[in-house]
Amino acid sequence: MEFDVSMVVRDMCIIVLAAKFLGLLARKIKVPDVAGEIIAGLLIGPSVLNLVNTSQYLSALAEIGVIMLMFSAGLSTNLRSLKKTGLKATAIAVFGVFVPLILGTVLYMCFYGFAPWGDEKFYRAVFIGTILTATSVSITAQTLKDLGRIKEEVATTIMSAAIIDDVIGIVVLTFVIGLKDPEANVARVCIFTVLFFVFVALVGYLIYRLFKYYDKKYPHTRRIPILGLALAFGLAYLADDVFGVADITGAFVAGVILCSLKDSDYINRKMDVNSYMLFGPVFFCSIGIQTDLSSINMSILWFSLAFVLVGLLSKIIGCGLISKCMRYSNRDCLKIGVGMMTRGEVALIVAQRGLQVGMLDSTFFTSVILLIIISSIMTPIILKGLYSE
Amino acid sequence: MEFDVSMVVRDMCIIVLAAKFLGLLARKIKVPDVAGEIIAGLLIGPSVLNLVNTSQYLSALAEIGVIMLMFSAGLSTNLRSLKKTGLKATAIAVFGVFVPLILGTVLYMCFYGFAPWGDEKFYRAVFIGTILTATSVSITAQTLKDLGRIKEEVATTIMSAAIIDDVIGIVVLTFVIGLKDPEANVARVCIFTVLFFVFVALVGYLIYRLFKYYDKKYPHTRRIPILGLALAFGLAYLADDVFGVADITGAFVAGVILCSLKDSDYINRKMDVNSYMLFGPVFFCSIGIQTDLSSINMSILWFSLAFVLVGLLSKIIGCGLISKCMRYSNRDCLKIGVGMMTRGEVALIVAQRGLQVGMLDSTFFTSVILLIIISSIMTPIILKGLYSE
């Protein structure tokens, strides 16, 4: 017992209070809660008040929180509607992933110099692109609901594309994280990425059958969400330790495996309680605590500005152009592009992972946080404008 | 990031799976889930399979779990019915606390030698008595419900007495933990214990008014349980850091402050989800992981046997005798004594606290675990016998 547990109690009190307070304040000024929670972390962290510092146990709690968030994201996937979606949404998703990926990579090289394939700096550049791939559709969905347009074709296309976007984004991340290993070569990473997905496809089907049987026999019992959570931890560990790919992929895939269960909503609600009570605030605060404001200089500010611009435009260009090819009207193309441009938790989780494996500097957190805040504020405003005229 | 987060993911997967599996197994053979979870910890810990070891972050998670469990226990207090209970239940509770406290202290001295007041060994002896004070009434309640006797006078007396027992037990623990400080003298600890309860009485009332206003304005919103949890952490920290009393007292008192809210059940349900998904299994497993089986010898086994006997008999004697004085029939006295003899989580939490402040050796965990298991098995059997004849 070499560390003082009373520190834990104190930290938790400060984190929970600060996160909730600034989260509610953020909501009042129409900024996502998450932004408030990150700023809470900045305030209580070493940058400002120095009340709470990074620590081993805080990283552990944040890690558990990330696994839960990604598991929950996977659970929200709707495989049935995904099958029906067809070519349109898939094409939009593909362009919505690869255009930001490429433009993000180019952006980093414009600022920090060109690097050839295989160079460490090249991977850092690709990682910046990877952060830009993940769409967070919740704010768009809320806006379309408010406008009463959620059942229209453009809206359902956006929703489906966002889910496929998540899946493709995860595959990209899985691959990119695999490259972190200095001994890794691209062929090896490819093989292990493919092996991982083959493994989860096979094992996943068996697990799904097992859960389905359980779900039928003991519906709405505690054991279902508990075993689901254990599956998320288990696959996350296997992904990282055996296949050398991103652990959050494992947690996401665990969610996808269980998303067709009758009780998937039930599991998700239970995960949600765990997330919002403690693990969510701890994760987002810890992002703020880790962000070192003193290392911010003009160069990083310029980069952040460019990063936000590229982040917003790359989704509009990627998703908009391919929509145009599929004969949507100009206005609908814009709606789809704008609807896909919001970023959220997943971008942060990806950035956090990059920090852990040494592919990202903590200074870039500022850029990611700015992108989340600005995109979350602008999407509803622009969408309302596009629909009102 | 000096430690590997993948360890966290692996540990969590093992703990959640093992705890759930052995918890369910325990329930099958009519032993409390908690016993299964502790044995799961023993199995995966260094004593047997050595899959998971104690670590800083695991202690932190267990600590958060304890705060949640005690907060939840406080929330379950029903102040209104407590006021109505009157003298009978209070007297039973008082004797149910002090007879085990004294007999437990004497037991330790019989085994490990007499120690005068003020000696370190004396406090260790008192701590053994303190562990014996906390009644866990859930198994008794379940049994009386099964028998259809839960509304009878004996049953309501047991329930009320058990709650008052918890409160008195907490006061005793608060005081005893205060003695841990080598510089502490009894007068100082008394003053700080009293000051703490005066402080929470004053502040508690204000906080209660604030929550009541909030509860009315935003019923069933997330902020209520979140702020409740923050209160539990806050009071736990203040109790420990400012008043030098047990932090779990702070968490328990936070629950008592909020127990009369309309939404107290709502808060408790949310805490419950957090507990059973992760923090509960982690806490009980960590008890098992910390238990060092190799240090068990014949002497500790004999002590455990005596500890279990004294634990059971002291409640029967204490509660039974005083009931007899209040003109209950012999059989009803026995029912009350047996109904009060079950021990549960709180006994473990107290023991855990003793280990942390150096008042208890981890070898004594075995005795506490045995008492919980044996009392939980015997109470329903004896109660059914007493009611059937």
Side-chain angles (χ1 to χ4, degrees):
Chain A
M1 218 57 55
E2 64 285 26
F3 88 118
D4 194 0
V5 286
S6 80
M7 193 188 72
V8 176
V9 176
R10 186 179 149 275
D11 286 0
M12 284 300 117
C13 179
I14 296 172
I15 289 177
V16 171
L17 272 184
K20 192 65 206 168
F21 185 72
L22 280 146
L24 284 175
L25 208 70
R27 203 187 295 174
K28 279 248 153 85
I29 56 170
K30 309 269 177 204
V31 176
D33 293 24
V34 170
E37 296 183 349
I38 296 167
I39 291 166
L42 268 175
L43 285 179
I44 61 176
S47 289
V48 186
L49 297 172
N50 203 19
L51 294 173
V52 178
N53 222 312
T54 48
S55 61
Q56 206 191 81
Y57 88 87
L58 218 55
S59 313
L61 281 177
E63 172 72 16
I64 296 173
V66 166
I67 299 288
M68 286 182 170
L69 284 169
M70 293 305 289
F71 177 49
S72 196
L75 275 171
S76 311
T77 316
N78 187 334
L79 283 183
R80 219 161 298 152
S81 82
L82 216 59
K83 273 185 205 150
K84 279 192 290 186
T85 320
L87 208 67
K88 275 188 187 175
T90 311
I92 293 171
V94 169
F95 277 77
V97 166
F98 286 100
V99 174
L101 177 64
I102 293 164
L103 291 185
T105 309
V106 171
L107 170 76
Y108 186 90
M109 288 186 182
C110 289
F111 268 79
Y112 300 100
F114 174 77
W117 177 280
D119 193 82
E120 203 210 314
K121 200 196 262 176
F122 177 80
Y123 294 134
R124 286 177 166 267
V126 173
F127 203 85
I128 290 290
T130 308
I131 295 175
L132 288 180
T133 59
T135 292
S136 163
V137 86
S138 59
I139 286 174
T140 302
Q142 194 53 50
T143 311
L144 292 172
K145 251 182 225 162
D146 293 348
L147 293 168
R149 308 282 189 150
I150 191 80
K151 302 229 160 157
E152 290 178 8
E153 201 219 332
V154 169
T156 54
T157 307
I158 294 176
M159 296 299 130
S160 310
I163 293 169
I164 306 175
D165 179 299
D166 269 2
V167 177
I168 302 174
I170 274 284
V171 176
V172 171
L173 173 75
T174 309
F175 181 75
V176 173
I177 289 266
L179 294 170
K180 72 170 188 278
D181 194 351
E183 291 161 35
N185 59 63
V186 176
R188 199 167 165 273
V189 174
C190 279
I191 292 172
F192 272 94
T193 306
V194 171
L195 274 181
F196 175 72
F197 285 105
V198 171
F199 169 78
V200 291
L202 292 177
V203 175
Y205 183 73
L206 290 177
I207 290 173
Y208 172 70
R209 302 296 309 183
L210 200 71
F211 265 84
K212 204 171 168 181
Y213 163 79
Y214 235 62
D215 195 14
K216 211 171 167 181
K217 199 165 169 197
Y218 309 101
H220 280 49
T221 50
R222 294 179 173 189
R223 63 194 76 180
I224 310 269
I226 292 174
L227 290 178
L229 182 61
L231 178 67
F233 283 126
L235 284 185
Y237 178 68
L238 281 182
D240 180 48
D241 201 65
V242 177
F243 296 93
V245 299
D247 56 355
I248 52 178
T249 308
F252 183 83
V253 166
V256 174
I257 291 175
L258 303 183
C259 74
S260 309
L261 282 185
K262 260 197 197 148
D263 259 356
S264 70
D265 260 6
Y266 177 74
I267 303 177
N268 218 347
R269 278 204 305 279
K270 299 300 162 194
M271 299 312 306
D272 202 35
V273 175
N274 279 278
S275 290
Y276 77 70
M277 289 291 283
L278 203 74
F279 290 107
V282 168
F283 173 64
F284 295 114
C285 271
S286 81
I287 297 275
I289 293 170
Q290 282 170 57
T291 308
D292 184 5
L293 283 183
S294 68
S295 70
I296 289 177
N297 49 36
M298 280 317 286
S299 138
I300 201 81
L301 280 181
W302 282 117
F303 177 82
S304 297
L305 197 70
F307 179 81
V308 172
L309 268 177
V310 169
L312 300 181
L313 290 177
S314 61
K315 285 278 180 186
I316 299 181
I317 295 170
C319 303
L321 276 187
I322 188 74
S323 306
K324 188 74 206 157
C325 298
M326 291 180 303
R327 301 173 184 238
Y328 279 98
S329 73
N330 282 344
R331 173 149 306 207
D332 283 352
C333 290
L334 213 55
K335 284 176 191 165
I336 292 173
V338 172
M340 295 284 287
M341 84 183 181
T342 352
R343 307 304 204 288
E345 289 95 303
V346 179
L348 267 180
I349 293 173
V350 172
Q352 164 77 10
R353 233 358 129 258
L355 179 71
Q356 264 169 11
V357 301
M359 281 176 137
L360 189 84
D361 226 54
S362 70
T363 41
F364 290 107
F365 273 8
T366 327
S367 320
V368 181
I369 296 169
L370 277 177
L371 176 59
I372 293 174
I373 297 177
I374 294 174
S375 65
S376 310
I377 297 174
M378 285 181 65
T379 301
I381 298 174
I382 303 181
L383 272 184
K384 278 172 194 164
L386 285 171
Y387 272 102
S388 70
E389 279 163 41
Chain B
M1 219 54 60
E2 67 284 25
F3 88 118
D4 194 0
V5 286
S6 80
M7 192 189 71
V8 177
V9 176
R10 183 179 151 276
D11 285 0
M12 284 301 119
C13 178
I14 296 172
I15 288 177
V16 171
L17 272 183
K20 192 65 206 166
F21 185 71
L22 278 144
L24 285 175
L25 209 68
R27 200 186 295 174
K28 278 249 154 84
I29 56 168
K30 309 270 179 202
V31 176
D33 291 27
V34 169
E37 295 183 350
I38 296 167
I39 291 167
L42 268 175
L43 285 178
I44 61 178
S47 288
V48 185
L49 296 172
N50 203 18
L51 295 172
V52 178
N53 224 311
T54 47
S55 61
Q56 208 191 80
Y57 89 87
L58 218 55
S59 312
L61 281 177
E63 173 71 17
I64 296 173
V66 166
I67 300 289
M68 288 184 171
L69 284 170
M70 292 305 290
F71 178 49
S72 196
L75 275 171
S76 311
T77 315
N78 188 333
L79 282 184
R80 217 161 299 153
S81 83
L82 216 57
K83 274 184 203 149
K84 278 192 290 184
T85 319
L87 206 68
K88 273 187 186 173
T90 312
I92 293 172
V94 169
F95 277 76
V97 167
F98 286 99
V99 174
L101 177 64
I102 293 165
L103 291 185
T105 309
V106 171
L107 171 75
Y108 186 88
M109 289 187 182
C110 288
F111 268 79
Y112 300 102
F114 174 77
W117 176 281
D119 194 82
E120 204 212 315
K121 200 196 260 176
F122 177 79
Y123 295 134
R124 289 179 165 264
V126 173
F127 203 85
I128 291 289
T130 309
I131 296 174
L132 288 181
T133 61
T135 293
S136 162
V137 85
S138 58
I139 285 173
T140 302
Q142 195 53 50
T143 310
L144 292 172
K145 250 181 223 159
D146 293 348
L147 294 169
R149 307 282 188 148
I150 191 81
K151 304 230 159 155
E152 290 179 10
E153 201 221 331
V154 168
T156 55
T157 307
I158 294 176
M159 294 302 130
S160 311
I163 294 169
I164 307 174
D165 179 300
D166 269 2
V167 177
I168 303 174
I170 275 284
V171 176
V172 171
L173 173 75
T174 308
F175 180 75
V176 173
I177 289 266
L179 293 170
K180 71 170 187 279
D181 195 350
E183 290 161 37
N185 58 62
V186 176
R188 199 167 167 274
V189 174
C190 276
I191 293 172
F192 272 94
T193 306
V194 171
L195 274 180
F196 175 71
F197 284 106
V198 170
F199 170 78
V200 292
L202 293 176
V203 175
Y205 183 72
L206 291 176
I207 290 173
Y208 173 70
R209 301 295 310 183
L210 199 75
F211 265 84
K212 205 172 167 180
Y213 163 79
Y214 234 64
D215 194 15
K216 210 170 168 183
K217 200 165 168 197
Y218 309 102
H220 280 51
T221 51
R222 292 178 176 191
R223 61 193 77 178
I224 310 268
I226 291 173
L227 290 177
L229 183 60
L231 179 67
F233 283 126
L235 285 185
Y237 178 67
L238 283 181
D240 181 47
D241 202 65
V242 177
F243 296 92
V245 298
D247 57 354
I248 51 177
T249 307
F252 183 82
V253 166
V256 174
I257 291 175
L258 303 183
C259 74
S260 309
L261 284 183
K262 260 196 196 147
D263 259 358
S264 70
D265 260 6
Y266 177 75
I267 304 176
N268 217 348
R269 278 204 304 279
K270 299 301 162 192
M271 299 314 305
D272 202 37
V273 175
N274 279 279
S275 291
Y276 77 70
M277 289 292 282
L278 202 73
F279 290 106
V282 168
F283 173 66
F284 295 113
C285 270
S286 81
I287 296 275
I289 293 170
Q290 282 170 57
T291 308
D292 184 4
L293 282 183
S294 67
S295 69
I296 290 178
N297 49 37
M298 277 320 284
S299 137
I300 201 80
L301 279 182
W302 281 116
F303 176 82
S304 298
L305 198 68
F307 179 81
V308 172
L309 268 176
V310 170
L312 301 181
L313 291 177
S314 61
K315 285 276 180 188
I316 299 181
I317 295 170
C319 303
L321 276 187
I322 188 73
S323 308
K324 188 72 206 160
C325 297
M326 291 180 301
R327 297 168 188 245
Y328 280 98
S329 74
N330 282 343
R331 174 152 304 206
D332 282 352
C333 292
L334 213 54
K335 284 175 191 165
I336 292 173
V338 172
M340 297 283 287
M341 81 181 185
T342 353
R343 307 306 203 287
E345 288 96 303
V346 179
L348 266 180
I349 293 173
V350 172
Q352 164 77 12
R353 230 3 125 256
L355 180 72
Q356 265 168 12
V357 301
M359 283 178 133
L360 190 85
D361 226 57
S362 71
T363 41
F364 290 108
F365 274 8
T366 327
S367 318
V368 182
I369 297 168
L370 276 178
L371 175 60
I372 294 173
I373 297 178
I374 293 175
S375 66
S376 310
I377 297 174
M378 284 181 65
T379 301
I381 297 174
I382 302 182
L383 273 184
K384 277 175 196 163
L386 285 172
Y387 273 102
S388 69
E389 280 165 43

